[in-house]
Amino acid sequence: MTSAPRYARVTAVDPHGVRLLTLGADAVVDALFDDRRIWSFWLRRDTRSTGRTGIARAVEWPAVMRPHLRGTSRVVLREHVSGRVLHDGELTFGDPAAAGERVRFVNKRGLDIALDKSGRFSPVFGERSAADLEPLLDTMEEVLGVLAGAGVEAFPAYGTLLGAVREGRFLGHDSDADLGYVSRSTTPVDVVRESFRLQRAVVDAGFSTYRYSGAAFRVAAIEGDGSVRGLDVFGGFLDAGRLYLMGEIGTEFEESWIRPLGTCELAGRTFPAPARSEEHTSELQSPMYLVCRLL
């Protein structure tokens, strides 16, 4: 997490992948196909250098996407936090004879799917019934209870909070759920130690987990039809007037914008929420929008 100036420009998008120029701080870019977010990648972490300076970089479309890449799609590459569009254009994949088809990301049941943070395809929420999502909501409530019992005030975050405040439900194009918390610690190593302690508490409560960052881990939520839905738990902390929240937020912030927690409504249930979660509904540059933004 750094405030160094950042520069990014996409130089080419083709059936093989993306080529770009980037300098400064790393950032997440969302890849949208016909207005649906299918994949996200980091400008530096997930790309490889194609020159001696490291400024020119490239990334291929993930292998799990390639079976779906047949036909034409409007491909948009958009910075995740700022919303700045780096590329917007029609692109045909595969045999030119397929140009009249549209690229579709669906599973064997015909449900729309998107890549989650583990690089796996999951059905998006818009394709799931209320009954399908009940186990995920149950898991969210149970995990929040475990975290509270361990001394942490957690709340729905990122796209989950954005959907709750804007629509009262999960965002239709999203495919996983997120919880966040702001630690009382201000030292990164203590935040990491706390996250491991919380993960152990969640495992002791009977959940399967997977860690992919020093301050972030995933909980497996089993839906009614046996589908596994990811519930991510992101840790953060305040230091010298700035909020750092995994995965990529580092912004000027005040503790009163988080605590004391308020509430939000999600799919007919009441969940905790940051004190000023309503701000993101009207001002995309507000600090709380950075907490609630789409993941």
Side-chain angles (χ1 to χ4, degrees), residues 22 31 40 95 106 115 117 128 146-147 194 235 252 256 280:
T22 185
S40 298
D95 192 320
V106 296
L115 284 172
K117 286 179 285 294
R128 308 299 280 167
V146 172
L147 298 178
E194 178 181 60
E252 300 297 319
S256 62
H280 71 77

Side-chain angles (χ1 to χ4, degrees), residues 24-207:
D26 209 352
V28 173
V29 171
D30 295 326
L32 290 78
F33 286 70
D34 285 342
D35 299 320
R36 287 188 55 230
R37 189 209 70 84
I38 301 299
W39 174 51
S40 298
F41 65 93
W42 288 82
L43 285 169
R44 301 193 65 83
R45 188 193 71 183
D46 298 330
T47 61
R48 59 180 173 81
S49 174
T50 59
R52 302 176 72 176
T53 64
I55 297 174
R57 308 188 69 82
V59 61
E60 296 180 349
W61 302 115
V64 293
M65 286 178 60
R66 292 173 197 160
H68 301 272
L69 294 176
R70 175 181 171 82
T72 300
S73 183
R74 177 190 176 196
V75 179
V76 174
L77 300 178
R78 184 176 66 197
E79 288 188 350
H80 184 65
V81 175
S82 70
R84 185 169 74 94
V85 174
L86 303 178
H87 173 83
D88 186 344
E90 291 275 316
L91 181 61
T92 297
F93 298 84
D95 192 320
E101 304 175 16
R102 302 304 293 182
V103 172
R104 298 183 66 214
F105 290 90
V106 296
N107 63 13
K108 293 180 180 179
R109 298 168 57 192
L111 301 176
D112 286 338
I113 53 177
L115 284 172
D116 62 21
K117 286 179 285 294
S118 299
R120 296 176 296 191
F121 275 117
S122 298
V124 296
F125 288 128
E127 298 293 327
R128 308 299 280 167
S129 69
D132 290 331
L133 295 176
E134 286 297 309
L136 174 59
L137 292 163
D138 291 341
T139 299
M140 289 176 62
E141 290 183 338
E142 292 178 45
V143 171
L144 283 167
V146 172
L147 298 178
V152 167
E153 299 174 299
F155 47 84
Y158 299 113
T160 307
L161 180 58
L162 189 61
V165 176
R166 281 188 172 174
E167 304 176 16
R169 60 185 179 182
F170 292 108
L171 293 170
H173 63 265
D174 213 347
S175 63
D176 59 4
D178 302 309
L179 301 178
Y181 65 89
V182 178
S183 176
R184 299 285 182 176
S185 299
T186 59
T187 303
V189 67
D190 291 332
V191 175
V192 170
R193 292 177 61 194
E194 178 181 60
S195 179
F196 275 82
R197 177 175 64 83
L198 295 175
Q199 183 182 16
R200 289 193 293 270
V202 171
V203 170
D204 289 344
F207 293 97

